[in-house]
């Protein structure tokens, strides 16, 4: 049997030996502090201080240069002034050290010469095959191995304990704050790394490692930006396949390019909406605070993910029970009422109990802890619950009264090992730890407990549905010599979308003749590659009912366009029949520079303009993913019929989304934006009413 493969980044996280390049005898300096941490905090590997003096450093023998080392270390930590880093990397490569963490700052984060020095680092990486984190990174830690390869000042007062939660961040300060707070809350860490400027290894690569790491069960991550969209997708999908929850934060944003902002699709996109969609598609749960990040991580590290969104609430306080029920409903969790037979069983056990869910046992439960087990078992057996949450006031602070509660929770976990059991109460550390061992997380704040349950429930659903966009090859070359509405519609018709029988007219007489042939009323629209937004120049006229109105309308539209855009090339006027029997939607595809083509869907009118009620998904879409995209838009309920209106052709909409997404994906190298606005969904069928295609900028 062959030995299991070792991840390429294993030596960065768990080196058996490490060189400290720039080691100092002064623990107040970064090189001295990092060496002190390795020497004093339990690292069992070999440490090789590199110091040009060649003298003993902090009681350890040192070497003048990397070349002098008696063996090749697994890894090296570089803490030298920025100008000296490149030579140190060359020396590491010559020695055979191919896993290096550059903790030195003064590179691209400072601009100017720092950018040049970082480019030199990148050149060395590419030439030698070396793997590095940084520069300007905090290093990595592996508490189960006693490895603390970092200069973090936290370690002077607190040492994170071992556990199952892995942490990957870009920012060193952000990362150290997360694992500091995790340690203070008793959340054990498997590995943690801060990737800094990411000249090589980024957060996605670290997630990829943690997804394989047998010591990691839950992954926390924080991103400021992403350069490798495919790499991030692969890492998140790998974690989802391994059933390791990923709880992730994204801070900061970047501006959308000028060309993208010229369309609704571009102006509504932005990096944040797109990366949010990528997280969901790849099974990761996005949070907005460190508190929530660690709440969800703590729950996932010790308890099972709930098999459904149904939550049972058992409380010794009616008011707090209602508070938790409201929090569940607002979060999107279900709070199903207990069936009558279950309520009867509960009343028999505790006659004063009230409510259907939440169930209020009143404070009398405090003196009747022996009935707690029977009530909780009845609730779990009688309803489709994925989780049950208990509010127990301050019982957790009374160690003497705790055993009956512990026995009841032990029995409940044994009876329902796949369900989530959460306790809300104040407690002493001993009680909290004992419940954690049982797989029962403890929270003091009811709403924080509900948010953590929501995260765990959603992670299970997201992981089950996680999938990469289908692979699709390039299509034949497109003729993008013209990009006006008629040209865009011709391309979309070739992709299989339904368009109206329209005519391009160059004179008022041609327009009148076309309108007569198409049937009144008609719409007139200016055609010009230079006027993407026709309404802004008065280039649209609707509901023209006779040949006179059409002829006059043609002349007026041309006059308005020339007045508003004197330099624009005018290609005539498009004459189209009026169609209004349906609901207007918008379908767009924006080529994101990191994640590739992203599909946007929303309903037209104020939902898009005022509320931004749109959703995104990676292209190309499958019918299942297109259907999910539609469902994620709040106003999509209008498609099912509203206030007596007919249900609309959802299948036609799904088919159109798939066709547009495949068209854009096949031509990702030629097109920046595809926008159909509006796309009219009717009782039978759906049709493109207006379209824009923006070629990719050089």
């Amino acid at each position: 049997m062959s030995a299991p493969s070792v991840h390429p980044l294993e030596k960065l996280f768990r080196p058996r030996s490490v060189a400290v390049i720039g080691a100092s005898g002064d623990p107040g300096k970064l090189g001295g502090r990092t060496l002190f941490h390795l020497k004093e905090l339990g690292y069992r590997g070999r440490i090789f201080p590199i110091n040009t003096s060649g003298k003993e450093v902090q009681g350890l023998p040192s070497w003048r240069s990397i070349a002098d080392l008696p063996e090749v270390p697994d890894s090296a930590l570089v803490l030298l002034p920025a100008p000296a880093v490149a030579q140190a990397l060359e020396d590491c490569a010559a020695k055979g050290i191919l896993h290096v963490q550059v903790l030195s700052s003064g590179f691209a984060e400072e601009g100017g010469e720092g950018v040049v020095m970082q480019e030199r680092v990148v050149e060395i990486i590419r030439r030698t095959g070396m793997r590095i984190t940084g520069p300007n990174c905090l290093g990595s830690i592996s508490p189960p191995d006693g490895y603390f390869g970092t200069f973090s000042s936290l370690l002077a007062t607190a040492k994170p304990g071992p556990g199952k939660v892995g942490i990957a961040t870009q920012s060193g300060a952000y990362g150290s704050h997360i694992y500091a707070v995790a340690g203070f809350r008793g959340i054990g860490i498997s590995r943690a790394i801060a990737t800094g400027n990411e000249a090589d290894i980024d957060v996605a690569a670290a997630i990829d490692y943690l997804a394989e790491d047998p010591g990691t069960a839950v992954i926390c991550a924080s991103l400021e930006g992403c350069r490798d969209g495919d790499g991030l997708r692969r890492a998140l999908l790998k974690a989802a396949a391994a059933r390791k929850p990923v709880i992730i934060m994204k801070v900061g944003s970047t501006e959308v390019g000028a060309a993208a902002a010229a369309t609704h699709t571009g102006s509504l996109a932005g990096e944040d909406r797109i990366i949010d969609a990528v997280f969901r598609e790849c099974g990761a749960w996005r949070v907005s605070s460190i508190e929530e990040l660690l709440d969800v991580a703590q729950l996932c590290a010790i308890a099972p993910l709930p098999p459904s969104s149904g939550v049972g609430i058992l409380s010794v306080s009616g008011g707090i029970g209602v508070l938790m029920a409201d929090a569940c409903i607002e979060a999107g969790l279900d709070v199903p009422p207990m069936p009558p037979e279950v309520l009867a069983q509960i009343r028999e056990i505790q006659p004063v109990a009230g409510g259907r869910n939440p169930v209020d046992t009143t404070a009398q439960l405090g003196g009747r802890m022996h009935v707690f087990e029977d009530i909780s078992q009845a609730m779990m057996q009688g309803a489709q619950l994925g989780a049950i949450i208990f509010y127990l006031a301050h019982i957790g602070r009374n160690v003497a009264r705790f055993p009956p509660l512990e026995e009841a929770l032990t029995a409940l976990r044994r009876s329902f090992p796949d369900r989530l059991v959460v306790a809300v109460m104040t407690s002493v550390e001993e009680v909290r730890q004992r419940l954690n061992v049982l797989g029962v997380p403890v929270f003091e704040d009811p709403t924080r407990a509900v948010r953590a349950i929501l995260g765990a429930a959603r992670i299970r659903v997201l992981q089950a549905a996680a999938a990469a966009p289908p692979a699709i090859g390039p299509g034949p070359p497109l003729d993008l010599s013209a990009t006006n509405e008629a040209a865009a519609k011709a391309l979309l018709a070739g992709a299989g979308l339904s368009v109206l029988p329209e005519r391009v007219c160059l004179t008022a007489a041609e327009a009148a003749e076309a309108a007569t042939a198409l049937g009144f009323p008609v719409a007139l629209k200016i055609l010009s590659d230079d006027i993407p937004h026709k309404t802004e120049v008065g280039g649209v006229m609707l509901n023209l009912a006779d040949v006179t109105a059409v002829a006059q309308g043609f002349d007026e539209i041309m006059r308005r366009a020339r007045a508003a855009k004197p330099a624009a090339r005018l290609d005539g006027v498009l004459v189209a029949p009026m169609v209004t029997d349906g609901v207007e939607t918008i379908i767009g595809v924006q080529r994101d520079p990191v994640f590739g083509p992203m599909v946007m869907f929303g309903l037209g009118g104020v939902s898009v303009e005022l509320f931004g009620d749109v959703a995104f998904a990676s292209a190309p879409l499958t019918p299942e993913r297109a259907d999910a995209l539609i469902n994620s838009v709040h106003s999509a309920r209008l498609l099912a019929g509203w206030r007596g209106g007919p249900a609309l052709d959802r299948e036609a909409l799904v088919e159109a989304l798939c066709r547009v997404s495949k068209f854009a994906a096949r031509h990702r190298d030629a097109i920046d934006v595809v926008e159909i606005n509006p796309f009219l969904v009717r009782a039978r069928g759906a049709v493109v009413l207006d379209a824009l295609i923006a070629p990719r900028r050089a």
Side-chain angles (χ1 to χ4, degrees), residues 115-161:
V115 174
V116 176
M117 289 190 288
Q118 185 159 316
E119 289 173 350
R120 171 68 173 144
V121 168
V122 171
E123 186 277 324
I124 294 170
I125 293 168
R126 290 173 177 167
R127 173 165 44 83
T128 64
M130 179 180 292
R131 301 306 309 270
I132 78 160
T133 51
N136 186 37
C137 75
L138 190 67
S140 64
I141 67 173
S142 178
D145 303 301
Y147 177 69
F148 294 89
T150 177
F151 57 77
S152 172
S153 59
L154 166 72
L155 299 178
T157 57
K159 174 184 171 183

Side-chain angles (χ1 to χ4, degrees), residues 170-240:
Q170 282 178 274
S171 164
Y174 203 90
S176 66
H177 187 79
I178 290 175
Y179 61 71
V181 176
F184 300 151
R185 290 174 52 172
I187 301 173
I189 294 172
S190 58
R191 330 280 173 227
I193 193 167
T195 55
N197 291 5
E198 297 189 341
D200 175 28
I201 294 166
D202 58 8
V203 168
I207 293 172
D208 185 273
Y209 168 81
L210 295 171
E212 280 191 25
D213 177 35
T216 298
V218 179
I219 300 169
C220 294
S222 172
L223 290 170
E224 295 173 20
C226 177
R227 296 191 305 270
D228 182 4
D230 289 340
L232 181 60
R233 278 192 177 104
R234 286 192 300 271
L236 293 176
L237 288 168
K238 186 176 184 179

Side-chain angles (χ1 to χ4, degrees), residues 186-327:
I187 301 173
I189 294 172
S190 58
R191 330 280 173 227
I193 193 167
T195 55
N197 291 5
E198 297 189 341
D200 175 28
I201 294 166
D202 58 8
V203 168
I207 293 172
D208 185 273
Y209 168 81
L210 295 171
E212 280 191 25
D213 177 35
T216 298
V218 179
I219 300 169
C220 294
S222 172
L223 290 170
E224 295 173 20
C226 177
R227 296 191 305 270
D228 182 4
D230 289 340
L232 181 60
R233 278 192 177 104
R234 286 192 300 271
L236 293 176
L237 288 168
K238 186 176 184 179
R243 292 299 184 258
K244 292 188 180 183
V246 177
I247 307 105
I248 194 164
M249 293 184 67
K250 169 65 177 66
V251 298
S253 62
T254 62
E255 292 187 4
V256 181
T263 68
H264 289 300
T265 305
S267 62
L268 287 166
E271 180 190 3
D272 197 64
R273 284 179 181 266
I274 286 175
I275 203 165
D276 193 55
V278 171
F279 287 164
R280 290 195 308 271
E281 291 171 349
C282 296
W285 178 245
R286 187 178 185 183
V287 295
S288 57
S289 70
I290 291 176
E291 178 181 74
E292 187 180 3
L293 178 94
L294 292 175
D295 282 345
V296 180
Q298 180 178 17
L299 186 149
C300 292
I302 65 175
L305 301 181
S308 74
S309 62
V311 179
I313 301 171
L314 178 61
S315 175
V316 299
S317 162
I320 291 184
V322 172
L323 171 70
M324 292 192 294
D326 287 345

Side-chain angles (χ1 to χ4, degrees), residues 508 511-513 515-516 520 524 541 544-555:
E513 181 183 349
T516 301
F520 294 100
L524 303 185
M541 300 182 77
L544 302 181
D546 54 48
V547 292
T548 301
V550 169
Q552 293 175 346
F554 179 96
D555 292 336

Side-chain angles (χ1 to χ4, degrees), residues 245-609:
V246 177
I247 307 105
I248 194 164
M249 293 184 67
K250 169 65 177 66
V251 298
S253 62
T254 62
E255 292 187 4
V256 181
T263 68
H264 289 300
T265 305
S267 62
L268 287 166
E271 180 190 3
D272 197 64
R273 284 179 181 266
I274 286 175
I275 203 165
D276 193 55
V278 171
F279 287 164
R280 290 195 308 271
E281 291 171 349
C282 296
W285 178 245
R286 187 178 185 183
V287 295
S288 57
S289 70
I290 291 176
E291 178 181 74
E292 187 180 3
L293 178 94
L294 292 175
D295 282 345
V296 180
Q298 180 178 17
L299 186 149
C300 292
I302 65 175
L305 301 181
S308 74
S309 62
V311 179
I313 301 171
L314 178 61
S315 175
V316 299
S317 162
I320 291 184
V322 172
L323 171 70
M324 292 192 294
D326 287 345
C328 286
I329 297 300
E330 290 169 2
L333 294 167
D334 299 322
V335 185
M338 294 294 110
E341 60 272 18
V342 174
L343 292 175
Q345 190 177 356
I346 292 172
R347 305 284 190 275
E348 184 177 344
I349 298 168
Q350 180 80 343
V352 298
R356 298 189 301 165
N357 191 19
V359 174
D360 176 15
T361 66
T362 78
Q364 289 189 30
L365 183 66
R368 293 169 52 83
M369 288 303 297
H370 61 282
V371 305
F372 180 88
E373 179 181 345
D374 293 337
I375 295 176
S376 58
Q377 292 272 354
M379 292 179 68
M380 291 288 264
Q381 289 173 354
Q384 297 298 314
L385 302 179
I388 189 166
I389 183 169
F390 303 108
Y391 175 68
L392 297 167
H394 312 293
I395 293 173
R397 299 194 60 80
N398 191 329
V399 178
R401 293 177 59 199
F402 177 62
L405 172 63
E406 183 176 27
E407 292 172 6
L409 290 172
T410 300
L412 192 65
R413 291 287 296 117
R414 186 183 301 117
S415 299
F416 304 96
D418 64 328
R419 314 286 182 89
L420 178 58
V421 179
V422 177
V424 177
M425 62 184 178
T426 62
S427 60
V428 297
E429 183 65 14
E430 177 188 345
V431 168
R432 189 181 66 81
Q433 290 289 356
R434 284 161 65 178
L435 288 181
N436 282 353
V437 171
L438 286 179
V440 178
V442 180
F443 293 88
E444 291 185 353
D445 185 305
T447 54
R448 282 175 57 190
V450 169
R451 285 198 302 269
I453 293 170
L454 171 69
R458 291 291 185 266
I459 286 169
R460 179 185 280 273
V461 173
L462 291 171
Q463 286 185 337
I472 188 167
L478 293 178
D479 179 6
L480 295 173
S481 57
T483 58
N484 61 39
E485 179 182 342
K489 285 179 173 175
L491 291 173
L492 293 172
L497 278 84
S498 176
V499 299
L500 294 173
E502 302 169 335
R503 295 190 185 180
V504 178
C505 301
L506 301 179
T507 66
E510 286 182 7
E513 181 183 349
T516 301
L518 293 170
F520 294 100
V522 297
L524 303 185
K525 292 182 277 186
I526 192 71
L527 280 180
S528 173
D529 290 358
D530 303 317
I531 306 177
H533 295 299
K534 297 178 282 291
T535 55
E536 293 179 0
V537 301
V540 178
M541 300 182 77
L542 305 176
N543 289 307
L544 302 181
D546 54 48
V547 292
T548 301
V550 169
Q552 293 175 346
F554 179 96
D555 292 336
E556 178 63 15
I557 280 181
M558 294 292 284
R559 184 193 67 77
R560 292 174 183 175
R562 291 192 183 100
K565 301 281 186 179
R569 188 190 76 186
L570 304 183
D571 299 319
V573 170
L574 189 67
V575 181
M578 289 293 302
V579 181
T580 58
D581 59 329
V583 170
E584 291 185 358
T585 69
I586 178 171
I587 297 175
V589 183
Q590 169 76 32
R591 186 189 62 83
D592 183 80
V594 175
F595 296 103
M598 300 292 298
V599 184
M600 186 194 80
F601 171 73
L603 268 70
V606 296
S607 293
V608 169
E609 300 289 348

